[in-house]
């Protein structure tokens, strides 16, 4: 229960996700302490239940220590971990995202090939899912905003499909479109960044360097700059009343529904 006695989480728990555009050292220290406490007291007990229940090979838990905008959980079925398709949970100020994540060149290529080799098998997996308006599939372009490390990206949504719209054919068609028109996708992303003050001059300039000027990559590999996600989006309001076990049960249910898609991607 939270301090108000209503449920496991309270709105106050999520105040730390403040999205400050700039922060001084005192603010960063305070947010770090709040994040560590939130992780230890509220998230780790549910993480342990998910880890034990999902039976994945390895897992991780952490938080965004740069912008303090989310807590993340990750569950892996292969030794390559995030370089293959894996499960992610992002817990933020407005919602909880439970997703399969495919965002490295080899994993995008493998998922596409698996769709091509067995479209009926993939479509059968989707057909077996209970109808759920929280489910979507999404394809993004994913461009790094800085040099070595590439731990911060600009994600631009290419397409979002509902559960009924998601199929092997629809996903392959959109991946083919990004591969064929990648320069156009990059130009569209830059246009968005140039008018959005959240990204700043330095990140925008680094993005631009990928395809403009003397040092631009003339023929970047599109698969290196895509992310494919299958997602359940749970509004924050849905987790403020239930107790811990009820919250964990919903997250577990969504993650288990996504596990066969993760397995399909890692064939």
């Amino acid at each position: 229960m939270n301090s108000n006695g209503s449920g496991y989480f309270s709105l106050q728990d999520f105040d730390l996700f403040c999205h400050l555009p700039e922060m001084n050292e005192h603010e960063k220290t305070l947010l770090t302490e709040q994040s560590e406490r939130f992780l230890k007291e509220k998230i780790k007990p549910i993480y342990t239940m998910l880890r034990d229940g999902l039976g994945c090979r390895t897992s991780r838990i952490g938080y965004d220590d740069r912008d303090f905008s989310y807590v993340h959980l990750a569950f892996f079925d292969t030794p390559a971990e995030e370089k293959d398709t894996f499960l992610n949970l992002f817990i933020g100020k407005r919602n909880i995202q439970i997703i399969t994540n495919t965002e490295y060149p080899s994993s995008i290529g493998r998922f596409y090939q698996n769709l091509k080799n067995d479209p009926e098998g993939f479509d059968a997996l989707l057909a077996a899912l209970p109808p759920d308006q929280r489910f979507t599939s999404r394809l993004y372009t994913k461009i790094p905003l800085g040099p070595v490390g590439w731990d911060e990206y600009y994600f631009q949504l290419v397409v979002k499909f509902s559960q009924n719209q998601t199929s092997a054919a629809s996903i392959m068609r959109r991946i083919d479109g990004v591969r064929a028109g990648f320069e156009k996708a990059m130009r569209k992303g830059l246009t968005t960044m140039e008018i959005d003050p959240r990204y700043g001059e330095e990140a925008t300039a680094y993005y631009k360097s990928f395809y403009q000027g003397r040092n631009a990559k003339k023929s970047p590999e599109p698969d290196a700059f895509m992310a494919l996600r299958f997602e359940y989006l749970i509004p924050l309001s849905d987790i403020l009343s239930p107790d811990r076990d009820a919250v964990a049960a919903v997250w577990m249910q969504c993650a288990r529904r996504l596990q066969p898609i993760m397995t399909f991607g890692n064939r």
Side-chain angles (χ1 to χ4, degrees):
M1 291 283 184
N2 63 35
S3 58
N4 296 324
S6 56
Y8 184 62
F9 289 112
S10 72
L11 276 175
Q12 289 72 32
D13 288 329
F14 298 88
D15 285 345
L16 68 93
F17 302 132
C18 53
H19 300 274
L20 294 174
E22 294 183 13
M23 63 186 79
N24 57 41
E25 285 303 313
H26 174 72
E27 290 169 330
K28 187 167 185 178
T29 298
L30 181 62
L31 288 170
T32 299
E33 292 173 352
Q34 291 176 336
S35 296
E36 294 283 358
R37 186 164 57 250
F38 180 59
L39 210 66
K40 179 180 179 181
E41 295 178 359
K42 292 296 182 76
I43 301 302
K44 280 189 176 180
I46 296 181
Y47 161 73
T48 300
M49 297 167 74
L50 293 174
R51 181 196 64 198
D52 295 345
L54 293 171
C56 291
R57 188 177 187 275
T58 54
S59 58
R60 293 188 210 140
I61 182 171
Y63 61 90
D64 171 21
D65 61 1
R66 178 176 301 178
D67 299 320
F68 300 93
S69 58
Y70 59 83
V71 166
H72 63 88
L73 286 63
F75 301 90
F76 310 101
D77 255 1
T78 69
E81 298 192 340
E82 68 268 14
K83 293 183 179 179
D84 284 338
T85 300
F86 62 102
L87 284 172
N88 252 159
L89 279 79
F90 291 102
I91 300 147
K93 193 172 184 68
R94 295 181 178 85
N95 52 55
I96 294 85
Q97 296 170 279
I98 303 174
I99 65 178
T100 62
N101 219 343
T102 306
E103 57 178 40
Y104 274 76
S106 57
S107 57
I108 287 284
R110 182 190 297 180
F111 209 113
Y112 181 93
Q113 192 61 44
N114 290 340
L115 291 171
K116 186 176 181 180
N117 292 342
D118 188 14
E120 296 86 1
F122 178 81
D123 290 346
L125 289 179
L126 266 293
L129 293 176
D132 195 327
Q133 292 185 343
R134 299 173 302 178
F135 179 93
T136 56
S137 59
R138 303 171 186 233
L139 181 68
Y140 298 86
T141 52
K142 168 193 166 193
I143 311 298
L145 299 181
V148 182
W150 289 15
D151 57 355
E152 188 174 356
Y153 297 87
Y154 171 73
F155 283 84
Q156 177 152 290
L157 183 66
V158 175
V159 66
K160 179 176 75 172
F161 290 127
S162 68
Q163 186 170 339
N164 289 335
Q165 294 169 326
T166 300
S167 67
S170 64
I171 294 168
M172 286 192 292
R173 184 167 58 249
R174 289 298 186 157
I175 291 176
D176 287 339
V178 173
R179 288 171 171 173
F182 189 62
E183 288 190 17
K184 179 180 179 181
M186 292 191 73
R187 288 195 298 272
K188 181 180 177 182
L190 178 61
T191 299
T192 303
M193 289 182 67
E194 286 179 326
I195 62 175
D196 191 330
R198 292 178 299 170
Y199 293 100
E201 293 181 3
E202 185 176 346
T204 303
Y206 190 80
Y207 185 138
K208 187 182 295 186
S209 74
F210 262 79
Y211 71 95
Q212 289 184 354
R214 186 168 48 190
N215 298 320
K217 295 185 178 183
K218 300 301 181 184
S219 300
E221 173 54 52
D223 285 7
F225 304 103
M226 278 192 275
L228 175 63
R229 293 176 172 176
F230 302 90
E231 171 179 322
Y232 286 97
L233 186 69
I234 301 173
L236 188 64
S237 57
D238 285 4
I239 68 165
L240 296 180
S241 297
D243 61 21
R244 185 192 67 186
D245 290 351
V247 171
V250 172
W251 296 6
M252 180 78 77
Q253 181 186 64
C254 293
R256 282 179 170 161
R257 289 177 181 176
L258 293 173
Q259 274 189 300
I261 298 176
M262 175 175 65
T263 301
F264 181 93
N266 289 331
R267 285 182 180 176

